Amino acid sequence: MKGHLVVEDGTIYTGKIFGARAVRYGELIFNTSMTGYQEILFDPSYKGQILAMTYPLIGNYGVNTEDCESERIHLEGFVVREKSRIYSNWRAQKSLEELFKEQKVVGLEGVDTRKITETIREFGALKAGIFPGNRDKREMVTLVQKSPSLVGRDIVSRVIKSEAYTWQNFGKYKVVVLDCGVKYNILRLLARLNLKVVVYPATAPWQEIEKEEPDGILISNGPGDPEPLKTVVSTVSNLVGRHPVFGICLGHQILGQVFGGKTYKLKFGHHGANHPVKDLTTGRIYITVQNHGFCVDQRTLDETEIEITHTNLNDGTLEGMAHKKWPIFSVQFHPEDAPGPRDTEYLFTKFYTLIENAQES
Amino acid sequence: MPRRADLKKIMLLGSGPIIIGQACEFDYSGAQACKALKEEGYEIVLVNSNPATIMTDPEMADKIYLEPLVPEIVAKIIERERPQALLPTLGGQTALNLASQLYEQGVLQKYQVELIGADYQAIKKGEDRQLFKEAITEIGYRVPESGTAHNLKQAIKIATTIGFPVIIRPAYTLGGTGSAVAYNVEEFKELAEIGLKASLTNEILIEESVLGWKEYELEVMRDLKDNVVIICSIENFDPMGVHTGDSITVAPVQTLTDKEYQKMRDAAIAIIRKIGVATGGSNIQFAVNPENGQMVVIEMNPRVSRSSALASKATGFPIAKIATKLAVGYTLDEIPNDITKKTPSYFEPTIDYCVVKIPKFNFEKFPGAVPQLGTSMKSVGEVMAIGRNFKEALQKALRSLEERFSGLEDIKLEWPVEQGLKVANPQRLFYIREALRQGKSIEEVYQLCNIDRWFLANIEEIVRLEKKLKKAKGKPLSFAMLKQAKEFGFSDKQLAWLTGCPELQISKLREKYGLQAQYKCVDTCAGEFVAETPYFYSTYEYSEITTARQ
């Protein structure tokens, strides 16, 4: 079936719909990873976004149950150049198309994803919509222009569970994960370190989290604009100073605000698996996985208790920070990878050490 | 770290005459190295016995010695020139072997010449199968079961313990010369003797067969600060059993999930560190069992290789040039990306197209040679094509072979189809086409050739469209059909043959429909950053873009 990707600037890309035949709106972004479409699809951080993959051949190795990063696909639409007709991999269980039909996800194929990328590079992330079938072009553009923007909206509550749950009920220490849209690999890596892992929704009151008597707290990744998340920021404000804290992506942006920093929107964000990040404390550089459209403004951290620990080599933006006195650190990139290089997984061990040290003292 | 100021004069070794397994790619890498060293103000002493090379042009180096690449002669040049360092990693296996010999004979030590790029230990570990196996096993990875023999008796004992089929690989050879597969003791005896003779050290390795497994290669770079990045991932179309130089290869990998790719990436990084290649590029090959994903490490080239030339062109990352700069002390973050200018070379290129390499053979020039491919290299060159999908890149590459193919088309096939699928040969692509055209299923073809089903399915798409086009013979091609044909890489000539319509008319029809070649960018970053000095490839991607403004 024919379908259109309609961008707020009036550009309409016509291709073929696969998966659900429904209208979807979202912020149009691109991801430059060549492998890992399944993990990307299941990453809750893409809520509210229509994602175009720069790599043109998608679906080659199918999908399987092991590589899911959450319970379901959260993104609004998925745009590819060519969806593979067959899949080939010993772990594959079904095709991308079958998955999309099951989960009622809208996909669009056969469009010039390079052109889309260049447009986003030039004009920044834009509002967009996917429309199946034939419709009046002006009407579609108007609908897209009227659709809500990602900026200023709290969409975390739309991807998280309402109740707390236990991921692993045994372990040397207990970590509470404050779920803003957590990827399973964060939980898997904590569990692998022999940690008891309990997950609380970001909306939980801080007193309830304290009742768990955690030995450490991890504030997870998640979707959307960090600025409107006032309640979560206030929850975390009450938890810092009491426990070792590790923040990842949105969790890092929340911590930034807790310590007086401000966030801003990047032109088109970082979405890919090849971003070089420098650890300023050691001089080492790592290839990191990134997926964020907002960033903590370094200048707003100048006279705070926060020290900058990591920066991006491509554009100099803030990638990591630590508290000067307390055992608190956070990174903008994804040390839990999935998909992407596993070069910074060691940060989970660093978190473990902070917990261990806090217990000993 | 800035460039090393303690070095003034650097010796560079070329790769000598053009032979199978060592062709102009090492002139390319050597010339790149000369330019990079010159840019840094070093005095270059170049030794290469082949004057028909760009690198030996007068302006490339300060001193050029057109002398035999043998230790006795190079020792004399060293004595006369007294370079502080020797860079052996850009002149293929010839340069690497020569550097090893100069070290073993004490020449380098006597004149205090430092090996930069890869030191003697690293060269040894990369080339000596036993040392390599030990190193890989120590870091928790697996290589195929194997043993080394110096004589036939030893060899037979090892082969029977491992069980047939086994692969015989002579140590220290070029392009896998003398490597072969033996399916029984009789064959083995004959092949082992050839192998023992071919080896510089009269040594052969006998290996567990991983024939039919999927083969992969990663191009890896490391700097003095131990930063490691992957430049390019390559998936071989031909499964294990065909020498990589003779395989059709595709970049990037197509049929690995991210989990499997990352496992391979981790292994590659661990291996370059363990082998101890201090700076520069290495090529690491893996085999993966298609049934269960089990991975084994096949080999590593601790130097710039033929695959690096391909990877450079495929990604826009100049491996030879960067390898040279790393050898003289720079780190990856200090070297700007040649194409974007603004971002550093410390990153992993990402591409938004598909690259296909097809080897070029010249069996007609070797009377008596059987056009059958195996573990020793027989191709005399290769072509590379870029397209937005595998089908387009494949057909473009076929046309580039200068064998008068206008794409994947009808050609005269000597063998029965089943044999052409089962036995690796230069025309296997055409046998696949023929089998699928005759109605064989992907599964049936897979069982005969073990080429991944994803590749076969893509070829099937070409075949199906070909049938549709033939059916439409006599009628003018519709926009939709012509668009799809061009996106699948069909040339106008192919379409003329299939539809019975003159080539010129097809071209006019394309013009009418607005189906012209587009030129897209090779920019290392899939369009994420503005490219200052990109290069372009043609593609027939057609995408309907309209605007509706209020």
Side-chain angles (χ1 to χ4, degrees):
Chain A
M1 182 187 210
K2 221 179 185 184
H4 312 276
L5 172 72
V6 180
V7 187
E8 63 173 312
D9 67 358
T11 315
I12 298 166
Y13 298 85
T14 303
K16 228 172 95 190
I17 291 280
F18 66 98
R21 295 173 176 184
V23 178
R24 293 275 194 277
Y25 301 98
E27 181 189 70
L28 182 61
I29 52 158
F30 64 82
N31 186 304
T32 60
S33 302
M34 292 186 286
T35 53
Y37 56 81
Q38 182 178 346
E39 290 90 335
I40 289 167
L41 284 166
F42 281 87
D43 180 348
S45 298
Y46 286 104
K47 181 78 194 166
Q49 292 177 315
I50 291 174
L51 176 64
M53 297 299 286
T54 59
Y55 187 63
L57 310 174
I58 301 292
N60 301 5
Y61 52 78
V63 291
N64 61 58
T65 45
E66 292 163 15
D67 295 350
C68 291
E69 281 302 314
S70 70
E71 257 181 4
R72 62 189 175 86
I73 297 175
H74 295 275
L75 50 73
E76 309 301 328
F78 194 58
V79 181
V80 299
R81 173 61 214 152
E82 181 178 309
K83 170 180 62 70
S84 183
R85 191 171 65 81
I86 76 148
Y87 56 86
S88 173
N89 187 278
W90 55 95
R91 292 197 301 141
Q93 288 156 332
K94 60 181 109 168
S95 72
L96 192 62
E97 184 154 11
E98 286 165 328
L99 174 77
F100 273 36
K101 282 194 175 137
E102 249 174 52
Q103 299 231 355
K104 301 189 173 49
V105 177
V106 181
L108 185 71
E109 63 163 325
V111 294
D112 189 344
T113 44
R114 169 94 193 178
K115 190 99 193 156
I116 294 172
T117 304
E118 286 169 352
T119 308
I120 297 171
R121 180 180 81 202
E122 194 170 340
F123 300 105
L126 297 160
K127 285 200 282 185
I130 298 182
F131 296 83
N134 287 320
R135 255 175 109 159
D136 180 68
K137 287 184 174 170
R138 286 184 177 206
E139 187 203 343
M140 292 193 290
V141 175
T142 311
L143 284 167
V144 167
Q145 287 168 342
K146 281 185 183 156
S147 67
S149 157
L150 203 62
V151 181
R153 262 199 306 159
D154 167 5
I155 50 173
V156 164
S157 47
R158 290 165 61 192
V159 299
I160 58 176
K161 286 202 160 134
S162 49
E163 299 298 323
Y165 62 95
T166 302
W167 178 267
Q168 176 164 285
N169 61 9
F170 57 87
K172 195 164 175 205
Y173 305 112
K174 185 200 275 181
V175 168
V176 164
V177 173
L178 196 62
D179 178 11
C180 304
V182 72
K183 276 166 69 188
Y184 283 166
N185 218 37
I186 291 179
L187 307 177
R188 288 186 201 113
L189 291 174
L190 291 171
R192 198 192 292 166
L193 287 171
N194 190 26
L195 289 164
K196 190 171 172 179
V197 183
V198 186
V199 185
Y200 269 80
T203 46
W206 69 271
Q207 295 90 336
E208 223 175 280
I209 294 162
E210 278 303 335
K211 262 188 235 152
E212 273 291 340
E213 297 182 353
D215 300 315
I217 293 175
L218 187 146
I219 308 163
S220 87
N221 65 297
D225 189 348
E227 210 266 322
L229 306 175
K230 301 288 181 220
T231 327
V232 190
V233 172
S234 126
T235 306
V236 176
S237 303
N238 284 301
L239 296 168
V240 294
R242 300 166 188 257
H243 318 277
V245 179
F246 181 14
I248 294 174
C249 198
L250 184 65
H252 156 86
Q253 296 161 354
I254 288 166
L255 277 171
Q257 295 184 74
V258 165
F259 294 106
K262 292 223 171 337
T263 57
Y264 66 101
K265 193 168 191 332
L266 292 164
K267 190 175 177 190
F268 54 88
H270 301 161
H271 311 275
N274 66 347
H275 289 256
V277 162
K278 187 166 197 165
D279 182 340
L280 302 174
T281 58
T282 61
R284 278 204 72 95
I285 302 159
Y286 299 93
I287 298 294
T288 66
V289 182
Q290 307 222 349
N291 178 26
H292 60 108
F294 295 85
C295 188
V296 181
D297 187 345
Q298 302 191 34
R299 291 165 303 180
T300 61
L301 294 171
D302 273 353
E303 279 161 34
T304 64
E305 304 134 283
I306 292 298
E307 153 181 45
I308 310 284
T309 57
H310 296 76
T311 54
N312 189 305
L313 274 195
N314 285 341
D315 62 5
T317 53
L318 178 67
E319 290 288 352
M321 60 189 194
H323 194 276
K324 284 175 185 160
K325 291 197 285 284
W326 296 335
I328 296 174
F329 74 107
S330 62
V331 286
Q332 181 61 73
F333 55 88
H334 290 268
E336 82 284 6
D337 44 76
R342 308 197 271 208
D343 301 6
T344 52
E345 277 185 6
Y346 75 92
L347 288 173
F348 284 87
T349 316
K350 181 181 167 184
F351 180 45
Y352 185 94
T353 313
L354 289 184
I355 295 173
E356 202 164 44
N357 291 348
Q359 291 298 310
E360 279 165 14
S361 62
Chain B
M1 278 170 272
R3 68 184 274 279
R4 286 177 59 176
D6 58 324
L7 306 176
K8 302 273 182 272
K9 199 189 253 190
I10 298 174
M11 178 182 264
L12 190 67
L13 301 177
S15 67
I18 287 182
I19 51 170
I20 288 180
Q22 225 169 244
C24 53
E25 65 270 18
F26 295 108
D27 185 25
Y28 165 73
S29 58
Q32 292 282 313
C34 284
K35 280 189 195 164
L37 290 175
K38 208 155 210 191
E39 219 173 85
E40 296 304 328
Y42 291 108
E43 195 183 336
I44 311 162
V45 180
L46 172 67
V47 190
N48 193 357
S49 58
N50 184 355
T53 48
I54 309 277
M55 70 193 297
T56 52
D57 281 356
E59 69 277 9
M60 296 301 285
D62 298 280
K63 297 266 179 66
I64 299 166
Y65 287 87
L66 293 171
E67 295 289 342
L69 290 164
V70 292
E72 303 76 51
I73 303 289
V74 179
K76 279 186 192 161
I77 301 170
I78 289 175
E79 187 185 354
R80 189 170 149 180
E81 292 289 345
R82 298 300 178 100
Q84 285 95 38
L86 174 67
L87 182 55
T89 52
L90 294 123
Q93 196 57 42
T94 299
L96 219 49
N97 285 350
L98 185 55
S100 287
Q101 288 167 321
L102 288 166
Y103 181 92
E104 280 158 7
Q105 294 172 10
V107 176
L108 300 180
Q109 297 89 318
K110 184 175 168 194
Y111 298 104
Q112 290 174 309
V113 183
E114 181 187 343
L115 273 176
I116 54 174
D119 65 12
Y120 177 71
Q121 292 308 323
I123 298 172
K124 262 297 201 225
K125 270 193 238 164
E127 297 297 328
D128 184 301
R129 302 296 307 180
Q130 193 54 35
L131 291 176
F132 185 69
K133 182 184 173 183
E134 279 163 22
I136 297 301
T137 315
E138 266 173 48
I139 51 173
Y141 294 100
R142 194 170 94 78
V143 296
E145 292 297 324
S146 64
T148 330
H150 290 90
N151 58 55
L152 195 58
K153 204 177 148 198
Q154 251 180 342
I156 294 170
K157 199 176 158 201
I158 294 165
T160 41
T161 325
I162 295 172
F164 291 100
V166 293
I167 296 176
I168 302 153
R169 288 178 194 272
Y172 290 97
T173 62
L174 308 166
T177 315
S179 287
V181 185
Y183 292 87
N184 53 54
V185 184
E186 286 70 44
E187 265 180 34
F188 179 79
K189 276 183 190 162
E190 192 181 318
L191 295 166
E193 267 187 284
I194 298 171
L196 284 164
K197 276 184 199 144
S199 163
L200 276 180
T201 51
N202 288 46
E203 184 180 311
I204 57 167
L205 179 88
I206 301 137
E207 232 174 41
E208 161 194 356
S209 163
V210 284
L211 292 177
W213 288 29
K214 287 150 77 106
E215 187 170 0
Y216 294 92
E217 290 174 75
L218 295 185
E219 283 297 317
V220 194
M221 283 237 128
R222 185 183 188 206
D223 70 16
L224 280 173
K225 272 198 191 156
D226 192 26
N227 296 311
V228 186
V229 289
I230 310 294
I231 305 307
C232 188
S233 66
I234 299 170
E235 178 161 345
N236 288 15
F237 174 90
D238 296 288
M240 287 296 295
V242 179
H243 189 277
T244 307
D246 287 355
S247 292
I248 296 171
T249 63
V250 182
V253 297
Q254 302 294 341
T255 62
L256 287 182
T257 65
D258 186 65
K259 297 277 175 295
E260 291 133 18
Y261 172 66
Q262 296 308 333
K263 198 174 126 193
M264 198 174 278
R265 183 182 177 279
D266 287 349
I269 293 172
I271 291 165
I272 194 171
R273 286 185 171 142
K274 180 70 186 177
I275 299 302
V277 177
T279 65
S282 286
N283 159 271
I284 306 175
Q285 293 166 20
F286 298 90
V288 172
N289 186 331
E291 304 301 323
N292 55 24
Q294 194 185 47
M295 178 180 89
V296 294
V297 183
I298 299 301
E299 67 167 17
M300 173 200 202
N301 288 311
R303 55 173 168 87
V304 164
S305 65
R306 173 176 281 206
S307 299
S308 335
L310 178 80
S312 297
K313 291 294 180 201
T315 60
F317 189 103
I319 293 177
K321 175 182 168 180
I322 306 283
T324 309
K325 298 238 168 174
L326 299 180
V328 296
Y330 285 106
T331 50
L332 284 161
D333 54 313
E334 292 170 336
I335 308 167
N337 179 330
D338 253 7
I339 288 179
T340 67
K341 304 284 182 200
K342 288 188 185 73
T343 55
S345 287
Y346 196 120
F347 77 115
E348 299 195 343
T350 185
I351 64 183
D352 57 357
Y353 44 80
C354 180
V355 182
V356 172
K357 172 210 96 175
I358 303 184
K360 164 117 181 134
F361 298 92
N362 244 348
F363 281 105
E364 61 278 13
K365 288 198 181 155
F366 301 97
V370 186
Q372 187 174 329
L373 308 179
T375 50
S376 74
M377 188 163 153
K378 291 173 180 159
S379 64
V380 294
E382 59 190 12
V383 299
M384 179 189 108
I386 303 182
R388 278 284 271 177
N389 59 55
F390 172 72
K391 297 173 277 281
E392 183 183 36
L394 182 78
Q395 298 224 67
K396 275 177 82 175
L398 280 170
R399 284 193 285 280
S400 312
L401 279 171
E402 293 183 349
E403 292 187 25
R404 296 167 190 274
F405 301 138
S406 54
L408 190 60
E409 63 189 355
D410 237 359
I411 62 163
K412 194 170 162 270
L413 297 169
E414 303 282 343
W415 296 345
V417 170
E418 288 209 357
Q419 188 189 348
L421 292 173
K422 228 175 178 167
V423 181
N425 68 88
Q427 293 179 330
R428 188 143 71 163
L429 266 176
F430 295 91
Y431 284 101
I432 294 170
R433 172 190 171 275
E434 184 54 25
L436 293 169
R437 205 189 57 81
Q438 287 174 4
K440 276 203 164 52
S441 69
I442 289 177
E443 201 48 43
E444 283 171 292
V445 177
Y446 175 77
Q447 291 309 330
L448 289 164
C449 65
N450 291 133
I451 290 169
D452 195 279
R453 295 169 183 93
W454 187 84
F455 294 122
L456 298 178
N458 271 278
I459 295 174
E460 194 185 47
E461 282 184 77
I462 296 176
V463 172
R464 281 188 183 169
L465 184 59
E466 190 187 306
K467 278 193 177 164
K468 249 170 88 180
L469 288 160
K470 258 190 172 165
K471 261 194 197 154
K473 205 165 185 161
K475 283 173 271 177
L477 277 173
S478 70
F479 169 79
M481 214 187 254
L482 188 53
K483 166 181 173 294
Q484 194 176 25
K486 295 311 284 185
E487 284 180 349
F488 279 18
F490 283 86
S491 63
D492 289 357
K493 195 170 165 192
Q494 241 172 320
L495 292 173
W497 181 76
L498 287 167
T499 60
C501 174
E503 192 180 338
L504 196 65
Q505 227 165 302
I506 302 269
S507 150
K508 278 194 177 144
L509 193 60
R510 276 200 298 108
E511 211 170 303
K512 193 180 129 199
Y513 288 148
L515 294 169
Q516 306 287 10
Q518 291 185 38
Y519 292 86
K520 281 187 151 57
C521 211
V522 173
D523 62 3
T524 73
C525 61
E528 184 172 9
F529 305 105
V530 177
E532 301 292 333
T533 54
Y535 46 98
F536 296 87
Y537 65 94
S538 71
T539 174
Y540 277 92
E541 166 167 2
Y542 179 86
S543 169
E544 191 186 330
I545 304 174
T546 48
T547 41
R549 294 197 204 284
Q550 253 46 35

